[in-house]
Amino acid sequence: MTETETTSSNTAPSPGTMKDIMVLTKFRLSAMVIVTTFVGFWLNSHGPLNWWLLVHTILGSTLAAFGAAVFNQLMEIDVDKRMKRTADRPLPSRRMEPGAAFAIGWLLSAFAIIHLVKMVNLEAATLCAMTLAVYLFIYTPMKQQSAWNTIVGAVSGALPPLIGWAGAAGQPAESDPYFRWQIIVSPGAIYLFLLLFLWQLPHFLAINWMYRDEYRKGGFVMWANDDDTGAKTSRLAFLFSICTVVAAFLPALTGQTGFWFLPAACVINGALLWLAWKFLKTPDRPTARKLFFYTLMHLPLLLGVSMAFWKRL
Ligand code: HEM
Ligand SMILES: CC(C)=CCC/C(C)=C/CC/C(C)=C/COP(=O)(O)OP(=O)(O)O
C-alpha cells in the first residue's frame, strides 16, 4: 500500500463507517420523524416562514432524534445480538465501543436540548426532552415487559410534530406566562398528535407480525408474538387503520383545510384501508409487507396534502 493510500484510508470514512453512522442514528426513521417536525412548524407558521427559527428547530430536533437512536441501541446491545434484523448493528457486532456511543448519545441529546432552549423556545425544548424521556426511560425498557410498550412508543413518536408546532411560536412576549401550554392545546396540534400516534399502530403491527419469530427470540414482548395465524394482529391493524383515517379527516371536519383536501385524503386513506383489509382477509407476509410499505407513503402524502390545503386562519 502506498503512503497516500494509507493516509486516505486512515482519514476518509470507509463506506462501512458511513453505513454504521446511518444505522446508529436510525437515519431513515429519524429523517421521517424530522419531516413531521417540519410539517408541525409549517402548519403553525402564520405569515411568512421564519427560516432561521425553522433551521434551529430542525437542527435541535434532528440531533435529539439521532441521540435517541444511539441511546436506544446502547440499551439494547444484548437483545439486538439475538435478532437477525439488528445483530449487525455497530454496537451488537462490536464494531463500536459502548463508551463511544454513550459519549455521542450524550453530546447529541444535551446539545439538542440546550440549542432548543436558547435558540427556539422553552416549549419546544420541553417537548423534545419529553420525547427522549418517554422513548428511553419508559418505552425501551418496557419492550421486554409488556406488549403495551407499542402504545408508549407511539406517544414518543407523536411528539416530534409538536416540537415543530411549538417552535413556530418563537420566543414569548414579556406578557406571556412562563410556559405557554395554549400553544399545544390547539386543534392543529391535537390533529398532528392523534394522526401520528394512530398511524404508528398499523405501521408497526404489520412489521411486528412479519418479524414475530425474531421478536420472540430477542425476548421482546409484542402483540404479534403469539399470533402465528395473524388473526389478532390483522384485526388490530385494521381497527387502528380505521382510527388513523378518522384522525386524518379531522382538519376537514373542523374547516381547517380547503376543498381539495377531502378528495385527496379520501384516495390516500382509501388505499390504507384497502391494504389493511387485504391483510385482515389474508394475513400473510406479502399482505403485511404491502401494508407496512404503504404506511411509509401514507404519512408523507397525508402531511403533504395537509400542508398544501391548510388554511392559515
Ligand atoms: C411505536 C412506534 C414505532 C415502532 C415500534 C416502529 C418500528 C419500526 C421497525 C421495527 C422498523 C424497521 C423495519 C426494518 O428493519 O426493516 C421501522 C421502519 C421504519 N419506520 Fe417505524 N416504528 C415506529 C414509529 C415510527 C415513526 C414515528 C416514524 C416516523 C414518523 C417511523 C418511520 C419509519 C421509517 C421511515 C422506517 C423505514 C426505515 C428504514 O428502512 O431504515 N416509524 N419502524
Ligand atoms: C426529536 C426526537 C427526540 C425524536 C425521536 C422520536 C422517536 C423517539 C421516535 C421513535 C419511534 C419508535 C418508537 C420507533 C421504534 O423504535 P425501536 O427502538 O422499537 O426500533 P428497533 O427495534 O429497530 O430498535
Side-chain angles (χ1 to χ4, degrees):
M1 198 183 276
T2 65
E3 202 190 347
T4 340
E5 278 171 319
T6 317
T7 313
S8 69
S9 72
N10 281 343
T11 51
S14 68
T17 311
M18 205 49 218
K19 191 166 172 251
D20 276 354
I21 292 170
M22 304 266 291
V23 173
L24 191 70
T25 54
K26 299 194 184 175
F27 190 83
R28 281 181 293 206
L29 185 143
S30 298
M32 187 128 131
V33 166
I34 296 311
V35 167
T36 71
T37 306
F38 170 73
V39 174
F41 190 100
W42 171 285
L43 295 186
N44 196 31
S45 291
H46 308 278
L49 208 65
N50 184 336
W51 286 98
W52 274 116
L53 192 57
L54 173 64
V55 167
H56 290 307
T57 308
I58 296 297
L59 179 68
S61 309
T62 305
L63 297 181
F66 289 169
V70 175
F71 276 129
N72 167 266
Q73 287 171 73
L74 199 52
M75 292 166 80
E76 292 186 337
I77 296 179
D78 289 334
V79 272
D80 276 355
K81 265 187 209 156
R82 293 187 226 142
M83 301 199 295
K84 218 168 111 203
R85 181 175 72 83
T86 51
D88 193 41
R89 285 177 173 178
L91 285 164
S93 65
R94 308 188 67 165
R95 285 193 302 278
M96 176 175 245
E97 283 294 321
F102 187 74
I104 294 171
W106 263 109
L107 277 175
L108 289 168
S109 313
F111 184 84
I113 303 291
I114 294 169
H115 189 79
L116 288 174
V117 174
K118 292 263 170 224
M119 306 303 290
V120 183
N121 59 39
L122 185 63
E123 292 78 9
T126 305
L127 285 162
C128 187
M130 276 169 66
T131 312
L132 285 167
V134 173
Y135 184 56
L136 296 172
F137 299 140
I138 312 182
Y139 170 70
T140 302
M142 202 175 162
K143 282 166 80 178
Q144 292 169 61
Q145 310 290 333
S146 159
W148 290 94
N149 71 71
T150 304
I151 297 291
V152 177
V155 171
S156 61
L159 289 172
L162 301 198
I163 301 173
W165 183 274
Q171 292 289 344
E174 259 179 37
S175 56
D176 279 338
Y178 187 64
F179 191 92
R180 295 167 294 169
W181 282 106
Q182 72 278 12
I183 297 177
I184 40 172
V185 187
S186 73
I190 293 168
Y191 159 63
L192 285 174
F193 182 86
L194 282 179
L195 176 67
L196 257 294
F197 175 78
L198 293 164
W199 167 88
Q200 290 171 80
L201 303 174
H203 164 75
F204 179 59
L205 281 162
I207 200 135
N208 179 197
W209 191 72
M210 285 161 64
Y211 286 116
R212 64 192 181 284
D213 287 343
E214 292 234 333
Y215 278 112
R216 268 197 298 253
K217 227 189 292 164
F220 289 115
V221 186
M222 299 286 172
W223 278 329
N225 281 15
D226 58 355
D227 179 32
D228 285 328
T229 66
K232 176 178 108 182
T233 313
S234 61
R235 260 204 310 271
L236 282 173
F238 186 64
L239 183 79
F240 287 127
S241 297
I242 295 176
C243 298
T244 307
V245 166
V246 171
F249 282 120
L250 286 179
L253 295 178
T254 57
Q256 176 67 68
T257 43
F259 176 80
W260 289 103
F261 176 82
L262 199 59
C266 279
V267 175
I268 296 164
N269 288 324
L272 180 71
L273 286 182
W274 170 247
L275 292 171
W277 174 254
K278 300 269 271 190
F279 181 42
L280 177 70
K281 287 288 119 189
T282 318
D284 58 17
R285 271 188 85 83
T287 54
R289 252 176 79 82
K290 280 187 195 135
L291 178 58
F292 169 70
F293 281 115
Y294 183 68
T295 62
L296 297 181
M297 284 169 63
H298 172 270
L299 185 64
L301 285 173
L302 198 77
L303 293 175
V305 296
S306 298
M307 283 169 69
F309 302 115
W310 200 257
K311 286 188 206 157
R312 300 193 185 279
L313 302 171

